Amino acid sequence: MSVAEPRRIVLFRHAKADWPQVSDHERPLAERGRMDAAVAGRKLADSDITLDLALCSTAIRTRETWKLAVHELAHRPKTVYEERVYEASPGELIAVFNETPDDVQNVVLIGHNPGVQGLADILAGSAEGDARERMSRRGFPAAAFAVLSFTGSWKSLEPGVATLLDYWAPSE
């Protein structure tokens, strides 16, 4: 794969979590979260992006979100459970992306706010259609995702280099 071909990044916030008496890392999905995760998976499948790699936080709610969403995809990408995605800042998430091998074209990151929303905001130097306006209006609720595109190596990913192609949130 050439670094001149556009790459896709899907930034996917975990679905609605429950609040039982467990540590934050161990919080499971709520019933609504389980439903929204599957719907988000169907929306991802409709996007026709063939995902090569999934980078998923090790938190229970992100793992459950991805398990339900990936079930809806025609192609199951390689999944890496990455501890650094949990509670990561946008800069820390960019560092994780910068380590991605250049033979990987399209990546989904399943993570948490405020890092996921912050990353979408700072990567998107431009946007197509009304995607930025919808994302700004809605924020990044549970189970939302943004699709971005950029050209270059993963090591070249930095603020402002991507185009926000699409944004989806439950009840969108």
Side-chain angles (χ1 to χ4, degrees):
M1 125 124 246
S2 163
V3 294
E5 293 179 49
R7 299 179 189 280
R8 301 284 188 270
I9 298 171
V10 178
L11 299 176
F12 185 6
R13 182 177 177 200
H14 66 78
K16 177 95 174 129
D18 204 353
W19 289 93
Q21 294 296 317
V22 296
S23 72
D24 182 68
H25 192 271
E26 302 304 310
R27 289 175 49 217
L29 289 181
E31 183 60 35
R32 187 179 114 214
R34 287 189 284 281
M35 291 185 297
D36 287 349
V39 171
R42 286 191 289 281
K43 288 294 184 182
L44 275 175
D46 291 345
S47 74
D48 289 329
I49 298 171
T50 300
L51 296 167
D52 304 308
L53 177 64
L55 299 170
C56 185
S57 163
T58 56
I60 298 296
R61 60 191 177 275
T62 52
R63 293 169 70 104
E64 289 180 348
T65 297
W66 182 235
K67 181 179 178 182
L68 292 164
V70 76
H71 182 72
E72 302 295 330
L73 304 179
H75 167 76
R76 180 181 289 254
K78 175 183 178 185
T79 299
V80 175
Y81 294 99
E82 176 58 65
E83 291 179 4
R84 295 176 295 166
V85 173
Y86 179 68
E87 295 187 336
S89 69
E92 291 165 329
L93 293 172
I94 288 174
V96 171
F97 276 112
N98 289 158
E99 295 173 9
T100 303
D102 280 330
D103 62 342
V104 172
Q105 184 175 2
N106 301 318
V107 177
V108 58
L109 179 132
I110 307 92
H112 310 266
N113 255 3
V116 169
Q117 180 175 1
L119 184 58
D121 287 338
I122 69 167
L123 286 180
S126 62
E128 290 189 354
D130 67 346
R132 187 185 305 274
E133 187 243 306
R134 287 184 295 120
M135 189 170 76
S136 295
R137 183 172 15 97
R138 293 287 321 273
F140 226 92
F145 65 83
V147 180
L148 299 107
S149 175
F150 81 103
T151 303
S153 71
W154 288 105
K155 286 178 179 46
S156 72
L157 183 66
E158 61 183 35
V161 302
T163 299
L164 178 64
L165 301 177
D166 198 7
Y167 166 81
W168 179 85
S171 73
E172 241 315 271

